[in-house]
Amino acid sequence: MEFQHALTFFEPRLTGQTAPLAKGYDAICAFVSDRLDEKTLAVLKAQGTKLIALRSAGYNHVDLEACARFNLPVVRVPEYSPYAVAEHAVCLILGLNRKIHRAFNRVREFNFSLDGLVGFDLHGKTVGVIGTGKIGAVFARIMRGFGCRVLAYDPKQNTVLQRTYGIEYVDLDTLYRQSDVISLHAPLSPATHHLINDSALSRLKRGSMLINTSRGALIDANALISALKNGSLGSAGLDVYEEEEGIFFENLSDQVMQDDTLARLLTFPNVLVTSHQAFLTVEALANIAHTTLKNISDFELGLPLQNQVGNPIS
Ligand code: NAI
């Protein structure tokens, strides 16, 4: 075996309340549903935790300022499979467009009617990509393969995408106004929080499709509901939701849904929600495990932490 670490798996999510379970462990390994706020970090630090090893690329759920104060390094998996997430975004587009979720339910009841199942050719449509990093770049290339015109917005432009794949960088307003489908691949930050709000939604092409596989808080969910209700937005595919913590990844099928916004979103026939599963492929899981164990080994051996959050080479 390449790595020799003793691993213990705990069922509960990591929070300030469950952090005492980590007593006696040198490193804690967390995912996106865990809450690494100041309270949790203070408990971990007091118990002797030395390393926070994230199994995710995103780290917006970690209070980095508190980590710095507690001298707790944070490592992550910056790339495990951009294909997994980009392909899931495409899956949401195709499923929504051709109404596969409705067709699936319908034929199981021997209803073979085609009423309401009309989609559109993706070929020749304009697709807007917000964030052309690792995932957005793969997504943009796939959409070019469908014969789409691809518009992109990113403060850092990717010249290979431009020159080799004919992706056109435009300002956000142009992207909003011209795209038939918009897919979000920018990280969550103060600059992108509720990027898709009433103002952005009012500028979209009527009937367009919005896809979010990045982070829920990129979209103001109440503004999204208004746009879906008045028909200005044609459909939405969401793998992430701002208030997903404590809901996504859990089986709540025997409980009353307490989140009215999510409950409302789930009533729309033109909304497809998946439970933060875009990363979930065998290749991505293997890469996540390997990089996480290597991050922990590097720390143990005193090697430079290539994947440390805040490290310019990560
Ligand atoms: P990346 O860091 O390679 O790319 C992010 C891109 O967004 C960069 O090119 C950056 O310049 C750009 N960006 C930053 N601020 C922006 C802004 N205001 N407007 C437009 N673009 C902006 O990240 P990667 O690997 O492509 O991941 C993107 C996001 O996907 C992650 O931040 C994460 O939140 C999400 N993700 C979701 C997963 C899922 O299972 N649903 C799994 C993995 C990542």
Side-chain angles (χ1 to χ4, degrees):
M1 274 214 297
E2 191 179 350
F3 303 108
Q4 303 283 337
H5 300 295
L7 306 175
T8 307
F9 178 75
F10 292 104
E11 192 67 47
R13 277 174 56 227
L14 179 62
T15 64
Q17 280 180 325
T18 60
L21 289 169
K23 190 170 183 180
Y25 293 88
D26 295 319
I28 68 105
C29 188
F31 198 50
V32 290
S33 54
D34 293 310
R35 191 183 301 158
L36 288 145
D37 57 9
E38 178 160 15
K39 188 177 164 197
T40 307
L41 294 164
V43 177
L44 294 176
K45 179 68 186 175
Q47 292 176 166
T49 295
K50 298 185 183 74
L51 178 70
I52 310 283
L54 303 177
R55 300 196 303 282
S56 56
Y59 48 86
N60 54 282
H61 56 304
V62 185
D63 184 339
L64 291 178
E65 193 270 323
C67 286
R69 221 173 333 113
F70 294 139
N71 193 23
L72 275 172
V74 181
V75 286
R76 66 179 182 129
V77 184
E79 176 173 350
Y80 38 87
S81 171
Y83 309 104
V85 184
E87 288 171 15
H88 192 77
V90 177
C91 170
L92 290 174
I93 295 174
L94 293 173
L96 269 176
N97 175 24
R98 306 309 292 266
K99 298 158 176 75
I100 300 299
H101 51 304
R102 301 187 65 197
F104 175 79
N105 286 329
R106 214 178 260 196
V107 296
R108 285 163 68 89
E109 292 185 0
F110 306 116
N111 174 356
F112 299 102
S113 142
L114 296 181
D115 286 349
L117 299 186
V118 180
F120 56 84
D121 285 7
L122 271 170
H123 181 90
K125 294 294 180 298
T126 301
V127 175
V129 187
I130 300 184
T132 53
K134 291 178 283 295
I135 296 168
V138 172
F139 173 81
R141 295 200 314 251
I142 296 173
M143 297 322 291
R144 286 293 285 157
F146 275 95
C148 297
R149 176 185 179 215
V150 176
L151 304 181
Y153 172 77
D154 192 313
K156 277 195 273 175
Q157 301 193 355
N158 176 333
T159 48
V160 176
L161 276 185
Q162 264 175 320
R163 289 187 198 143
T164 313
Y165 296 96
I167 275 90
E168 304 163 47
Y169 279 94
V170 294
D171 59 39
L172 264 184
D173 194 59
T174 307
L175 187 147
Y176 288 152
R177 290 185 193 283
Q178 295 192 9
S179 301
D180 300 291
V181 177
I182 293 179
S183 194
L184 307 179
H185 299 288
L188 178 61
S189 69
T192 59
H193 184 263
H194 286 189
L195 179 73
I196 306 297
N197 53 16
D198 281 321
S199 158
L201 287 159
S202 71
R203 285 178 278 159
L204 301 193
K205 214 172 177 177
R206 191 165 178 84
S208 59
M209 181 190 287
L210 179 65
I211 303 293
N212 189 6
T213 56
S214 189
R215 284 292 179 267
L218 261 57
I219 299 180
D220 175 346
N222 289 314
L224 179 73
I225 288 172
S226 302
L228 286 161
K229 278 170 78 176
N230 68 33
S232 57
L233 184 67
S235 54
L238 311 172
D239 186 53
V240 285
Y241 167 61
E242 182 166 8
E243 303 298 333
E244 70 184 53
E245 188 187 303
I247 300 178
F248 283 14
F249 307 147
E250 306 293 333
N251 179 0
L252 305 179
S253 58
D254 59 353
Q255 295 180 29
V256 173
M257 172 51 67
Q258 297 298 322
D259 187 314
D260 291 348
T261 307
L262 180 60
R264 182 67 180 97
L265 280 171
L266 290 170
T267 66
F268 289 99
N270 49 350
V271 171
L272 201 45
V273 176
T274 51
S275 177
H276 207 137
Q277 72 174 72
F279 72 97
L280 201 59
T281 66
V282 285
E283 291 82 1
L285 290 174
N287 290 338
I288 289 171
H290 186 271
T291 304
T292 301
L293 292 171
K294 181 163 185 331
N295 285 340
I296 295 169
S297 292
D298 286 352
F299 178 77
E300 192 178 35
L301 297 170
L303 297 173
L305 297 179
Q306 279 209 324
N307 297 322
Q308 183 167 4
V309 176
N311 178 344
I313 61 170
S314 78

